[in-house]
């Protein structure tokens, strides 16, 4: 047990040092990663590459790996990006597991006609749609009951912003129905947790 704790501490310390070291390089690395990812998706999207199930799943993973960058409209757009980021990050992991599973099944059963359908592009497209819907279920329970409301504290912008002296803005705050969210997941956990 102590050996595991020691390794966890060593890895945690290494992670902290590595993050501090890479802090000034984060933006350039992110730009390089986004460009390489865009090139990857572009190559895989060519007609000759879209004939393979694995390549279509890799296109889905590449699209999911793009990072999506105070009025009501701004809050709605920001909320849309948050939901998309949450959904796509989870979907990327689902697609990676699907791709590994398809590869194993096809390689282990090369002569079995039952597994031929796994190699078709249509299987990949249907799988991506199904996994997207499954990934969206979690977000639906969290973001669905949320809404924007005023905190009843009008804010006066600084004079340098150029608004009139009597101008104030209403601040909208997003609220989540945490009670519903927590109760729902507690009920799910109580149903599926192992009983010893």
């Amino acid at each position: 047990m102590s050996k595991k704790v020691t390794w966890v501490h060593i890895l945690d310390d290494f992670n902290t040092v590595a993050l501090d070291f890479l802090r000034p390089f984060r933006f350039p690395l992110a730009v390089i990663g986004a460009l390489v990812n865009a090139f990857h998706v572009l190559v895989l999207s060519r007609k000759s590459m879209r004939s393979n199930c694995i390549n279509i799943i890799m296109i889905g993973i590449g699209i999911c790996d793009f990072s999506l960058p105070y009025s009501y409209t701004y809050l709605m757009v920001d909320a849309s990006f948050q939901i998309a980021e949450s959904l796509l990050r989870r979907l990327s992991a689902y697609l990676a597991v699907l791709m590994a599973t398809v590869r194993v099944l096809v390689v282990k059963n090369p002569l079995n006609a039952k597994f031929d359908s796994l190699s078709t592009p249509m299987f990949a497209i249907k799988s991506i749609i199904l996994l997207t819907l499954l990934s969206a279920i979690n977000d639906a329970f969290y973001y669905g009951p949320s809404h924007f409301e005023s905190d009843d504290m009008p804010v006066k912008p600084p004079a340098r912003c150029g608004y009139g002296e009597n101008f104030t803005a209403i601040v909208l705050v997003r609220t989540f129905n945490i009670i519903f969210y927590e109760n729902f997941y507690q009920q799910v956990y109580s149903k599926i947790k192992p009983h010893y």
Side-chain angles (χ1 to χ4, degrees):
M1 183 67 179
S2 60
K3 195 170 186 181
K4 286 184 181 177
V5 172
T6 303
W7 277 106
V8 167
H9 285 115
I10 290 172
L11 288 174
D12 187 47
D13 292 343
F14 174 78
N15 190 29
T16 304
V17 171
L19 285 175
D20 288 340
F21 174 75
L22 292 174
R23 193 176 308 277
F25 306 107
R26 283 184 182 175
F27 181 71
L29 288 173
V31 170
I32 292 168
L35 292 174
V36 170
N37 195 33
F39 178 73
H40 178 228
V41 171
L42 186 68
V43 169
L44 288 171
S45 298
R46 295 175 61 192
K47 188 173 182 180
S48 60
M49 300 294 282
R50 291 195 311 257
S51 61
N52 186 318
C53 170
I54 297 298
N55 288 350
I56 290 181
I57 294 174
M58 288 174 67
I59 291 170
I61 292 172
I63 292 170
C64 292
D65 286 343
F66 278 112
S67 296
L68 300 171
Y70 278 111
S71 63
Y72 183 78
T73 305
Y74 172 82
L75 290 173
M76 290 300 289
V77 171
D78 185 52
S80 301
F81 282 155
Q82 287 177 10
I83 293 168
E85 182 182 9
S86 172
L87 186 143
L88 294 177
R89 288 175 72 103
R90 190 179 313 107
L91 181 59
S92 179
Y94 290 170
L95 291 176
V97 171
L98 173 67
M99 184 175 66
T101 305
V102 168
R103 280 183 174 168
V104 167
L105 291 174
V106 170
V107 168
K108 288 200 174 238
N109 304 289
L111 301 176
N112 192 337
K114 291 179 183 177
F115 293 95
D116 287 345
S117 63
L118 296 180
S119 301
T120 63
M122 189 51 69
F123 172 79
I125 291 169
K126 288 178 181 176
S127 298
I128 289 172
I129 292 170
L130 177 65
L131 290 174
T132 301
L133 293 174
L134 290 175
S135 180
I137 289 173
N138 186 67
D139 293 322
F141 283 114
Y142 184 67
Y143 291 103
S146 68
H147 60 279
F148 294 102
E149 60 183 26
S150 169
D151 64 355
D152 296 326
M153 301 268 302
V155 174
K156 183 172 175 53
R160 66 178 180 272
C161 293
Y163 291 100
E165 242 183 81
N166 295 328
F167 179 84
T168 57
I170 300 296
V171 176
L172 295 174
V173 179
R174 186 170 195 173
T175 58
F176 294 92
N177 191 344
I178 299 297
I179 295 171
F180 169 82
Y181 182 72
E182 288 178 348
N183 285 346
F184 173 78
Y185 280 103
Q186 285 173 356
Q187 290 172 11
V188 170
Y189 176 73
S190 67
K191 300 288 185 206
I192 64 173
K193 73 177 180 180
H195 298 285
Y196 297 107

